[in-house]
Amino acid sequence: MRETEKIWMNGDLVDWNDARVHVGTHGLHYGSGIFEGIRAYETAKGSAVFRLTEHLKRFENSARLLGMELGYSVDALRQASHDVIAANGLPECYLRPIAFFGYGELGVSAVGNPVDVVIMSWPWGAYLGEEGLKNGIRAKISSWQRIGPNVIPHAAKATGVYLNSMLAVTEANRAGYDEAILLTAEGYVADGSGENVFIVKDGELFTPDLSTSILPGITRDTVIQIAQDLGYTVHEKSLIRSDLYLADEAFMTGTAAEVTPLRAVDDVEIGVGAITLEIQEAYLDTARGRSERWAQWLEYATPAPAEA
Ligand code: PPE
């Protein structure tokens, strides 16, 4: 990763190298943390953070699902996000808020541990490569099942959940694929290691519904709205692996991955389709402030108060 100047940590902007924790930190031992991934884009009107408030609301929900007191409101974290972007002088960056049970007691119960809250920002290019964004990626159905709703709450973007994703994407990469797609224990398509999944069939869009052990993706929500506004019907329903194999088009969505075409699933070639590229263009034009149609999703830093 590319280092930047400052990290917001528990209310202060500290130097990159001073943002440290003790090895006895609860979150390191038990994965008891939550995080977000947010992108800021450079636009003609300055740095715009894409759906920042929605991301911070999901952060708050994740904390609630882990019984974690953040101690900072969404408003405070919004200001902190803009502060760290300004401090690092990077209008275009990836933001990573993370909160975790800190150093105090060890033992699985988190009762009595303090909570650390941090926001990092650094430049992060195309998640699955520029080539993947343009020409699509190849994904492998994972042999690892997606965590179930009674295993860990999947609506929480919790750090520990990502062991599930890590195993899946590592297996896929070792087999020569770019990404993994996880199925639920019942065999329904859930999500990628870090993306939601969509298919196009007969001109309509399909994506797993929110109860299918998926992260409620903000890009997923964005794409549903864009697609509907462009006149497409979007179905949120359970999908099985053969729906992927028979799809006319398929793509993945995520803050990091944006809209990335899926050109193959396992050994089945799907190719890159026109509807995928239309939605990708609308998404990137919106995020980069080139299209006014969905401009409500861009959150600019509030102007600094004038000097007295
Ligand atoms: N599913 C999973 C499992 C997931 O991790 C993400 C985000 C999504 C769906 C899409 O959610 P959203 O970003 O709100 O549209 N994955 C983050 C990358 C994780 C990583 O560190 O790598 C992201 O895109 O920021």
Side-chain angles (χ1 to χ4, degrees):
M1 77 193 303
R2 247 181 67 195
E3 295 182 7
T4 56
E5 293 281 312
K6 298 284 184 189
I7 291 174
W8 184 93
M9 192 165 189
N10 297 321
D12 296 313
L13 285 169
V14 301
D15 287 342
W16 180 275
N17 286 323
D18 292 338
R20 296 176 182 281
V21 293
H22 194 275
V23 291
T25 294
H26 194 280
L28 181 61
H29 292 247
Y30 310 116
S32 55
I34 57 156
F35 69 104
E36 271 304 318
I38 310 170
R39 275 192 193 269
Y41 292 88
E42 185 163 19
T43 76
K45 285 194 263 173
S47 176
V49 190
F50 194 73
R51 303 192 72 175
L52 173 60
T53 303
E54 275 95 336
H55 278 282
L56 294 174
K57 283 185 180 161
R58 187 172 66 187
F59 193 59
E60 204 171 51
N61 282 339
S62 298
R64 282 174 59 191
L65 287 166
L66 267 67
M68 178 187 276
E69 282 289 336
L70 282 179
Y72 295 93
S73 65
V74 164
D75 283 345
L77 294 171
R78 188 192 299 112
Q79 188 56 52
S81 301
H82 288 305
D83 288 350
V84 78
I85 293 172
N88 288 326
L90 285 171
E92 180 135 342
C93 62
Y94 185 82
L95 282 167
R96 168 55 53 85
I98 180 166
F100 48 89
F101 287 109
Y103 176 70
E105 301 295 328
L106 268 190
V108 176
S109 167
V111 175
N113 279 80
V115 174
D116 288 300
V117 185
V118 176
I119 306 175
M120 305 170 70
S121 89
W122 73 95
W124 198 352
Y127 190 57
L128 295 156
E130 283 297 335
E131 165 69 21
L133 206 53
K134 240 176 83 189
N135 298 322
I137 60 152
R138 295 169 59 247
K140 179 188 189 304
I141 303 283
S142 186
S143 70
W144 295 101
Q145 287 169 3
R146 185 76 163 112
I147 53 144
N150 292 319
V151 180
I152 304 176
H154 57 262
K157 195 166 168 67
T159 59
V161 169
Y162 282 80
L163 186 50
N164 185 224
S165 285
M166 185 275 265
L167 289 167
V169 70
T170 304
E171 175 189 69
N173 288 162
R174 285 189 177 144
Y177 290 85
D178 305 297
E179 183 52 291
I181 294 173
L182 292 98
L183 307 181
T184 65
E186 297 74 34
Y188 296 111
V189 175
D191 42 14
S193 77
E195 313 85 359
N196 291 114
V197 178
F198 283 77
I199 64 166
V200 180
K201 187 75 186 169
D202 298 329
E204 300 189 345
L205 277 73
F206 297 81
T207 194
D209 62 282
L210 290 177
S211 60
T212 320
S213 288
I214 62 169
L215 183 76
I218 290 165
T219 321
R220 171 186 180 279
D221 179 77
T222 303
V223 160
I224 289 174
Q225 214 162 307
I226 288 177
Q228 287 172 340
D229 289 350
L230 292 175
Y232 294 106
T233 301
V234 183
H235 306 272
E236 295 178 64
K237 65 179 281 287
S238 297
L239 301 173
I240 53 176
R241 65 192 299 167
S242 41
D243 292 324
L244 298 174
Y245 299 154
L246 294 177
D248 297 329
E249 301 181 23
F251 60 91
M252 302 186 110
T253 64
T255 299
E258 297 166 319
V259 177
T260 298
L262 262 172
R263 68 176 167 86
V265 177
D266 294 334
D267 56 356
V268 180
E269 285 294 326
I270 302 171
V272 177
I275 296 176
T276 300
L277 293 177
E278 182 187 2
I279 289 171
Q280 182 190 59
E281 188 180 334
Y283 179 80
L284 292 174
D285 279 354
T286 301
R288 296 190 181 282
R290 293 190 293 243
S291 158
E292 285 297 310
R293 188 161 178 188
W294 298 280
Q296 76 274 12
W297 287 325
L298 302 191
E299 297 188 35
Y300 298 91
T302 40
E307 301 261 329

